[in-house]
Amino acid sequence: RILGLLLTGVAHYDETIHSTALGVLCRDFFYNHYVPLAARRACFPGVVKKLRTLLAEPREGQLVFYNQAAMLNHLYRFMTECEITFGPFEYPALRPVAFFPGTFDPFSLQ
């Protein structure tokens, strides 16, 4: 739940909130050596997918750019440490998606 709240801060439009939330997530949680590595590794696959999507959005300002670069450096160090210790990350397989035209469509019922 707390990681979800941090990701909400990363998605925020205000640069200060965005930078602070990204710092807490990458530097203070994933690169924190007081939290067991196995626990941080267990949280990573769910967070990284959302984080990739959020960081793909363009942001204004050089300060935000350099802050993101520094935080991604902490995340990269964590990932390297995990892969050396436990081996490569395993992500769940993607579920197949199907679309059946002519079936129930809640968007066109209005």
Side-chain angles (χ1 to χ4, degrees):
R1 175 141 170 89
I2 292 174
L3 292 175
L5 293 172
L6 285 173
L7 287 171
T8 302
V10 173
H12 203 275
Y13 66 90
D14 185 12
E15 292 178 1
T16 306
I17 295 173
H18 167 77
S19 297
T20 303
L22 189 62
V24 170
L25 183 66
C26 294
R27 180 188 56 233
D28 298 337
F29 178 69
F30 281 117
Y31 197 61
N32 186 348
H33 294 288
Y34 293 111
V35 179
L37 186 61
R40 292 181 282 156
R41 181 183 168 88
C43 296
F44 185 71
V47 171
V48 72
K49 183 177 178 181
K50 294 177 185 178
L51 193 59
R52 283 181 47 196
T53 303
L54 292 173
L55 293 179
E57 296 177 14
R59 295 223 176 227
E60 299 287 326
Q62 288 184 338
L63 182 62
V64 174
F65 172 78
Y66 288 117
N67 183 57
Q68 285 181 350
M71 294 308 110
L72 289 175
N73 183 26
H74 290 296
L75 198 61
Y76 177 74
R77 290 178 186 180
F78 158 74
M79 290 171 58
T80 304
E81 182 181 1
C82 280
E83 287 187 348
I84 289 170
T85 305
F86 297 110
F89 285 96
E90 295 181 18
Y91 298 98
L94 297 176
R95 298 183 306 188
V97 177
F99 175 72
F100 301 103
T103 59
F104 175 71
D105 184 10
F107 298 107
S108 61
L109 285 179
Q110 297 175 359

